[in-house]
Amino acid sequence: MKDVRKKAKELMSGYCRVCAVCDGRACAGEVPGMGGLGTGSAFKANVEDLSRLRLNMRLLHDVTEPELAVSLPALALDLALPVLAAPIGGVSFNMGGKMGEEDYVRAVLGGCAAKGTLGCTGDGVPDFIHQAGFTAIAGLSGRGIPFIKPWEDAELFEKLDKALATGAGVVGMDVDAAGLVTLRKMGRPVSPKPPKKLKEIIGRTPAKFILKGIMTPDEARLAADVGAAGIVVSNHGGRVLDHTPGTAAVLAGVAAAVKGRIAVLVDGGVRTGVDVLKMLALGADAVMIGRPFSIAAIGGAAEGVEKYLDQLRGELSAAMILTGTARAAAVPAGVLA
Ligand SMILES: Cc1cc2nc3c(=O)[nH]c(=O)nc-3n(C[C@H](O)[C@H](O)[C@H](O)COP(=O)(O)O)c2cc1C
């Protein structure tokens, strides 16, 4: 990973500093770029709220080979570890464009598939962002989750149909992208979606549907009520609204509202296997990671992504042993001090 990060630092120069800890400080306000919006406080809160949590160490038990695989029945997914690569689009204007969008997406999706999990793809302007994602997912026989922005009707349904044509069994919408300044600047209409509209959209989609950008228990319940099979507790990596709480601060309440009804995913500030364990203890079924996968893919292509997943697997396994956690599918809240 040291070499991968070194290479990424060169290739992402001017866009991402590849800091020792990816915490949103150095890149505050850099949107487009890899930062958080405005003061960067929502990005920073993701990392801070997670790092504030402490683990209870437990050694008087027989857990030596913890089970990292998880099943997400609501999404009909089985994952070798509870980590997915979050959707990230726009390599040219966010990361410097030293790698093409197609190569980037292929690296993320291919690396994840090789390690028994899934990568997601993003959407935006220009159109080659979602096109690259759809092509890569189709090339992997549907092993990926395409995320679409909350466009107005015609564009939304057209893109949804194309997403379904990739063979993906799960599709998603990042509803929080209604706040993306980059799209607003380009004059492309995205908007919040009322429950009635969402019910219509999800109802006509013959795939499992994930709503990404849920931050409160009431909206989690609404998501389940309108037919979503899963949510991602997410503030879009702090890129859509300054001064939101970190996701780790709201996760327990949101998860409790819908636990067992739909799949609960979360992202924001997850960097290590220890962070993954903390999110699972707060009630997530699995986590998504964003920026570190971008660094791994730019610096090392699919192999970099695989290396990063190996690192996460080792860290998560060690943390589970040291906290007496036998199964990633059933992490008790008492893991947290
Ligand atoms: C450069 C960049 C581009 C992104 N593009 C998308 C996108 O197209 N669709 C989406 O749902 N989320 C997008 N996101 C948000 C990520 O999916 C994810 O929510 C966030 O990065 C998680 O935080 P982390 O990077 O701290 O792990 C983007 C994030 C970044 C940094």
Side-chain angles (χ1 to χ4, degrees):
M1 279 310 292
K2 212 172 151 201
D3 293 341
V4 168
R5 290 171 59 80
K6 192 167 165 248
K7 183 94 185 284
K9 198 167 182 156
E10 277 164 40
L11 295 175
M12 297 172 91
S13 166
Y15 290 81
C16 175
R17 295 157 188 83
V18 189
C19 301
V21 179
C22 172
D23 60 7
R25 285 173 198 280
C27 55
E30 296 180 7
V31 183
M34 296 299 277
L37 191 70
T39 65
S41 75
F43 179 177
K44 287 184 262 190
N46 282 340
V47 178
E48 283 164 10
D49 288 345
L50 199 46
S51 77
R52 217 173 283 135
L53 298 171
R54 296 285 177 261
L55 299 172
N56 281 321
M57 227 162 76
R58 287 193 171 91
L59 283 313
L60 311 188
H61 57 73
D62 63 0
V63 179
T64 52
E65 286 181 28
E67 178 58 63
L68 269 60
V70 293
S71 286
L72 308 177
L75 299 173
L77 290 180
D78 292 319
L79 307 174
L81 76 171
V83 176
L84 301 95
I88 289 201
V91 181
S92 58
F93 51 87
N94 287 318
M95 305 176 212
K98 296 270 166 51
M99 184 184 249
E101 195 85 23
E102 287 212 9
D103 288 342
Y104 169 80
V105 182
R106 248 199 317 270
V108 174
L109 263 53
C112 286
K115 291 292 169 182
T117 185
L118 286 181
C120 304
T121 61
D123 183 15
V125 180
D127 282 344
F128 64 70
I129 296 175
H130 76 271
Q131 282 161 357
F134 292 173
T135 305
I137 293 175
L140 282 167
S141 311
R143 279 197 70 81
I145 304 178
F147 275 82
I148 293 167
K149 301 251 173 284
W151 308 107
E152 299 290 330
D153 278 356
E155 183 162 13
L156 177 73
F157 290 126
E158 193 187 305
K159 278 197 181 158
L160 255 180
D161 288 343
K162 285 186 189 157
L164 291 166
T166 63
V170 184
V171 300
M173 183 192 290
D174 47 326
V175 275
D176 53 5
L180 266 188
V181 285
T182 40
L183 294 178
R184 212 176 304 139
K185 275 182 192 159
M186 290 162 181
R188 292 288 281 271
V190 279
S191 56
K193 298 278 176 264
K196 194 165 163 249
K197 187 86 213 163
L198 280 173
K199 205 168 180 172
E200 180 198 335
I201 297 166
I202 297 173
R204 77 183 280 291
T205 307
K208 311 281 184 196
F209 206 103
I210 299 181
L211 287 174
K212 178 168 177 281
I214 302 296
M215 288 290 283
T216 58
D218 58 312
E219 292 226 318
R221 275 188 289 269
L222 268 179
D225 291 346
V226 298
I231 53 171
V232 188
V233 179
S234 174
N235 60 14
H236 212 101
R239 291 168 70 81
V240 291
L241 177 65
D242 207 353
H243 298 288
T244 74
T247 52
V250 302
L251 174 58
V254 175
V258 289
K259 193 79 180 163
R261 269 181 91 189
I262 57 175
V264 177
L265 309 179
V266 65
D267 72 18
V270 180
R271 304 291 175 256
T272 65
V274 170
D275 292 339
V276 175
L277 184 63
K278 288 178 177 179
M279 289 298 204
L280 299 182
L282 289 170
D285 296 309
V287 308
M288 287 188 178
I289 300 180
R291 296 169 178 93
F293 271 113
S294 301
I295 290 167
I298 300 276
E303 206 191 328
V305 171
E306 289 181 48
K307 283 213 168 84
Y308 181 48
L309 279 164
D310 284 343
Q311 182 181 302
L312 289 167
R313 170 174 278 282
E315 292 164 349
L316 175 58
S317 182
M320 288 174 71
I321 293 169
L322 273 283
T323 55
T325 312
R327 297 173 57 229
V331 179
V335 159
L336 297 175

